[in-house]
Amino acid sequence: MTWDQELDASGLLCPLPVLKARKRLKDMAQGQVLRLIATDPAAVVDVPHYCNESGNLLLDSAQEGEAQIYLIERR
């Protein structure tokens, strides 16, 4: 899958990955996709919860080494 922007939040702890993703998504157009990279173990709960609450769509999540990768569509 392709994405429009990437945000590397590796090394940042809760709630920073979600806060930075929210800020980035706010500046993106509807339908664009953000690829978020996070290493915070809490991201597996925080990112899906944020997407559910914000109305953005979590397209996919995967583990790559120690990082979690999230594809979020701006809605």
Side-chain angles (χ1 to χ4, degrees):
M1 170 159 238
T2 61
W3 57 87
D4 299 290
Q5 293 190 34
E6 182 174 85
L7 174 61
D8 187 353
S10 298
L12 300 178
L13 298 177
C14 176
L16 290 176
V18 167
L19 293 176
K20 288 186 175 287
R22 181 179 70 180
K23 184 176 180 182
R24 179 73 62 92
L25 285 160
K26 182 179 172 187
D27 294 333
M28 294 172 66
Q30 275 192 328
Q32 287 190 314
V33 175
L34 174 66
R35 181 177 192 252
L36 172 64
I37 303 166
T39 54
D40 179 13
V44 297
V45 173
D46 293 344
V47 173
H49 178 73
Y50 162 72
C51 290
N52 187 48
E53 292 295 314
S54 67
N56 294 307
L57 180 62
L58 180 59
L59 298 172
D60 193 20
S61 62
Q63 189 78 29
E64 284 186 11
E66 295 183 16
Q68 300 97 38
I69 309 298
Y70 302 94
L71 293 176
I72 306 168
E73 181 180 322
R74 167 79 158 93
R75 291 284 175 112

